[in-house]
Amino acid sequence: MTKTALVCGAGGFIGGHLVKRLKREGFWVRGVDLKFPPFAETEADDFAVGDLRDQYFCRQITDRRFDEVYQLAADMGGAGYIFTGEHDADVMHNSATINLNMLDACQKRNVRGMFYSSSACMYPEHNQMDPNNPNCAEDSAYPANPDSEYGWEKLFSERLYLAYNRNHSMRNRVARYHNIFGPEGTWDGGKEKAPAAVCRKVAQATSGGDIEIWGDGTQTRSFLYIEECLEGTIRLTRSDFEGPVNVGSEEMVTINQLVDIVADIAGKRLHKNHIPGPLGVRGRNSDNRLIGQKLGWKPSATLRSGLEKTYEWIERQVHRNTKKAAA
Ligand code: NAD
Ligand code: GDD
């Protein structure tokens, strides 16, 4: 029998890529989102445009048997969106409502289990003050102290999915994604994350010119390429381990180093102009001991290899927009 999957958030970056991956595996896929994917036609067999904050819509889209359900829909963005404080109420209300509705609908339709994408933003701020030595081991989550409301909602929802496992015998799986990047991700407009923002700024700059970077550039992060994110997601979903588990890279870099790699890929010499901006934690890195132990797999691709593909795609978007504006 053909396997079936439901992908919530299929009009977004990770959901759009996940649909393609599941289609390659031979699944019948239903995608759901407020919008169609903006950069490429969806490959889903069926795509429902609608609002997952509406519980009746959630019941409608779960009206058939699904072997796998991925819940990726959320109100989210990079530092420029989640750390300004301007969207806190929306982020918490929208994402929590989606998770409450989808869990209720799936449990009532006897869905066996769901995959849920939590975030490294749920880790306590006090363990991420030292840029050279952040602690993001899974068991460091409590006492909880995320630095954003986005992180608090993720923590609440993680607990919700695991409560349904205990009280309703579901097989939900929870991953904590660490800054995922790649082609077809948001690259402008305010929700973009550092890898896409830096690729865009480098593509727009002329060699010898300036590039604006928020903060002093010594804050650290690790970034995971989309293909490895999907591999971890699918392996976790099909495993006996419920998580929560980090899905991220352990190749930690400063934001200055991120800029240097992208500038090198572009073949440009650039001067970094450090300006005030939303910063988030001082340091963050994935800790991949648990995923290695439980899934016998962990990400291994280099940051540079992912940035080469991402830069090429973003450079094309920048040139296309410049041509359009000039026409
Ligand atoms: P994205 O913003 O590209 O995709 C999320 C999608 O959810 C969007 O297409 C949006 O339209 C949809 N959505 C939002 N509200 C909705 C609603 N009410 N009804 C229906 N659809 C709705 O984000 P992404 O990068 O693809 O992230 C996917 C998931 O992974 C999110 O839950 C996010 O919080 C989580 N995550 C992502 C990262 C990352 O670096 N990309 C890191 C940690 C966690
Ligand atoms: N977005 C962005 N744009 N960030 C910049 C820029 C810029 O032009 N210049 C410097 N930065 C710095 C930010 O100030 C921050 O310190 C760092 O780069 C990383 O920013 P983001 O990539 O935007 O976000 P984040 O790593 O703090 O959080 C992201 O990752 C989480 C998971 O690890 C967010 O996307 C969260 O939504 C996600 O859950």
Side-chain angles (χ1 to χ4, degrees):
M1 209 185 344
T2 305
K3 292 233 177 197
T4 55
L6 177 64
V7 178
C8 301
F13 166 50
I14 301 173
H17 282 280
L18 180 61
V19 168
K20 288 186 208 169
R21 164 79 189 247
L22 291 167
K23 284 307 299 170
R24 281 206 305 276
E25 291 188 12
F27 275 70
W28 183 93
V29 182
R30 171 175 290 164
V32 183
D33 204 297
L34 288 170
K35 58 172 174 61
F36 286 103
F39 306 116
E41 194 130 320
T42 182
E43 290 185 20
D45 298 274
D46 177 53
F47 198 101
V49 174
D51 192 335
L52 294 163
R53 290 169 301 183
D54 173 355
Q55 57 180 308
Y56 300 103
F57 179 66
C58 293
R59 278 194 210 154
Q60 276 170 23
I61 56 150
T62 49
D63 64 351
R64 58 171 293 165
R65 180 190 62 83
F66 286 108
D67 295 298
E68 295 180 4
V69 175
Y70 297 88
Q71 202 318 76
L72 299 159
D75 189 349
M76 73 86 74
Y81 187 71
I82 59 171
F83 296 130
T84 61
E86 283 165 42
H87 310 285
D88 287 351
D90 280 349
V91 164
M92 296 185 90
H93 175 265
N94 294 341
S95 298
T97 308
I98 294 170
N99 289 315
L100 287 161
N101 285 347
M102 275 308 295
L103 265 165
D104 183 54
C106 286
Q107 187 259 320
K108 288 187 173 139
R109 298 278 195 193
N110 295 318
V111 169
R112 212 163 145 239
M114 303 166 68
F115 169 87
Y116 173 60
S117 50
S118 180
S119 164
C121 286
M122 47 61 61
Y123 283 115
E125 184 179 17
H126 55 253
N127 289 334
Q128 301 172 86
M129 306 290 247
D130 176 355
N132 299 314
N133 201 21
N135 177 10
C136 291
E138 285 81 352
D139 62 7
S140 71
Y142 298 96
N145 183 24
D147 71 333
S148 66
E149 302 301 358
Y150 168 79
W152 278 104
E153 188 283 327
K154 288 292 187 191
L155 201 56
F156 163 77
S157 291
E158 282 189 359
R159 301 188 67 96
L160 188 66
Y161 281 85
L162 298 180
Y164 270 71
N165 284 357
R166 293 193 303 276
N167 298 160
H168 294 294
S169 304
M170 288 183 80
R171 294 180 80 254
N172 297 322
R173 303 287 178 258
V174 178
R176 292 173 179 163
Y177 287 163
H178 288 245
N179 213 321
I180 316 301
F181 74 102
E184 297 178 18
T186 307
W187 60 278
D188 68 352
K191 285 189 169 181
E192 66 281 10
K193 291 172 279 108
V198 167
C199 286
R200 185 195 71 232
K201 289 177 182 184
V202 169
Q204 287 169 335
T206 19
S207 194
D210 275 16
I211 175 171
E212 287 189 341
I213 302 298
W214 298 341
D216 64 7
T218 63
Q219 67 270 45
T220 53
R221 294 291 186 278
S222 71
F223 305 99
L224 183 70
Y225 190 62
I226 182 68
E227 293 301 331
E228 293 206 300
C229 167
L230 298 181
E231 190 62 37
T233 298
I234 283 174
R235 282 177 184 256
L236 176 63
T237 301
R238 298 174 190 167
S239 79
D240 288 330
F241 181 49
E242 69 175 17
V245 66
N246 291 328
V247 173
S249 161
E250 283 182 324
E251 187 186 344
M252 186 173 81
V253 292
T254 64
I255 298 301
N256 284 336
Q257 286 170 327
L258 173 72
V259 176
D260 290 341
I261 298 172
V262 177
D264 191 56
I265 291 168
K268 296 185 184 180
R269 236 179 352 93
L270 296 168
H271 171 257
K272 298 181 201 79
N273 184 11
H274 293 109
I275 60 166
L279 300 176
V281 293
R282 275 300 279 163
R284 175 173 292 152
N285 193 13
S286 187
D287 180 325
N288 288 351
R289 286 172 295 175
L290 189 65
I291 193 170
Q293 246 172 49
K294 297 291 184 183
L295 302 188
W297 172 89
K298 57 183 170 178
S300 58
T302 63
L303 172 61
R304 187 177 173 111
S305 66
L307 284 174
E308 282 169 357
K309 292 173 236 174
T310 309
Y311 181 76
E312 191 196 323
W313 183 81
I314 291 181
E315 192 188 32
R316 251 187 291 134
Q317 310 309 307
V318 168
H319 286 163
R320 191 170 300 163
N321 277 15
T322 316
K323 269 195 206 148
K324 253 197 239 157

